[in-house]
Amino acid sequence: MNYVAQLIGFIAFIFFVTSIYSKKKKSVLICQLMANLLYGIEYILLNTITAGILNLIAVLRCFIYYKYEEKNRKIPISILLGYIIIVVVISIVTLNGWLTIIPMIIGIIYSYATWQSNPKFLTTCFLVCGTTWFFYNLYVGAYTAVLGNVVEVISSIIVLKSYKKKKV
């Protein structure tokens, strides 16, 4: 087991869970930026290159989205589509079996979820992606990320239930 990778993954997990409970989109994006940076390093240390590169590219996405949010401007769809194209191209170039398609799909879902402005939809995407990452991380040996996925899924369910009570 790569203990350095697991430690980095645990720190990433703290940032990601914080993003789930953040109420402002800017806070979500900053926490996700840090989580993606650390998860990218973790995956590279675990030799899951596609997931590592896509998480590092997600840092750029979070930064760009944050800058738009900071100026209270809507993120142009061209930026979303450009990012999705980059994700697909990188996934194809680094393709190493069917399993490497999972980070691509998750990257596209997260990109759209953080691009749009409905917090309930964003949390629903966290739930779907967290569940999918759980199985991927279990397979590749990213065990602290698995812990993070469990918390992500549980946290997403809690947040979604709170939306139901508030009727968001």
Side-chain angles (χ1 to χ4, degrees):
M1 182 183 320
N2 186 328
Y3 293 106
V4 173
Q6 302 304 325
L7 176 62
I8 291 169
F10 183 75
I11 297 167
F13 146 74
I14 293 169
F15 279 107
F16 194 79
V17 170
T18 302
S19 81
I20 293 170
Y21 287 100
S22 296
K23 295 188 188 230
K24 296 186 179 195
K25 191 170 180 180
K26 287 196 293 190
S27 299
V28 170
L29 292 169
I30 289 293
C31 289
Q32 283 193 354
L33 185 146
M34 292 303 299
N36 281 312
L37 175 65
L38 295 169
Y39 279 136
I41 294 168
E42 177 191 27
Y43 287 127
I44 288 169
L45 290 173
L46 293 172
N47 203 30
T48 55
I49 303 305
T50 301
I53 292 171
L54 291 181
N55 272 274
L56 294 175
I57 296 295
V59 170
L60 178 63
R61 179 201 72 217
C62 289
F63 180 75
I64 291 169
Y65 283 15
Y66 178 83
K67 285 300 187 184
Y68 274 90
E69 198 65 29
E70 192 175 53
K71 295 175 183 175
N72 291 322
R73 292 178 51 209
K74 181 154 175 56
I75 303 158
I77 195 162
S78 59
I79 290 179
L80 171 65
L81 294 176
Y83 180 77
I84 290 172
I85 290 168
I86 291 169
V87 165
V88 170
V89 168
I90 288 172
S91 298
I92 291 169
V93 169
T94 60
L95 189 65
N96 187 18
W98 68 270
L99 194 63
T100 55
I101 294 171
I102 293 172
M104 176 187 73
I105 294 168
I106 293 171
I108 292 169
I109 292 171
Y110 276 140
S111 298
Y112 179 75
T114 53
W115 173 79
Q116 60 84 46
S117 58
N118 181 328
K120 186 175 180 181
F121 182 77
L122 176 64
T123 305
T124 302
C125 289
F126 283 168
L127 177 63
V128 170
C129 291
T131 304
T132 308
W133 271 129
F134 173 84
F135 294 106
Y136 178 86
N137 288 329
L138 202 56
Y139 185 81
V140 301
Y143 301 117
T144 53
V146 168
L147 172 65
N149 300 137
V150 169
V151 173
E152 178 182 3
V153 167
I154 292 169
S155 297
S156 296
I157 291 169
I158 291 168
V159 170
L160 286 170
K161 284 186 178 197
S162 77
Y163 286 147
K164 191 174 185 178
K165 288 179 186 175
K166 294 177 188 176
K167 298 198 182 210
V168 172

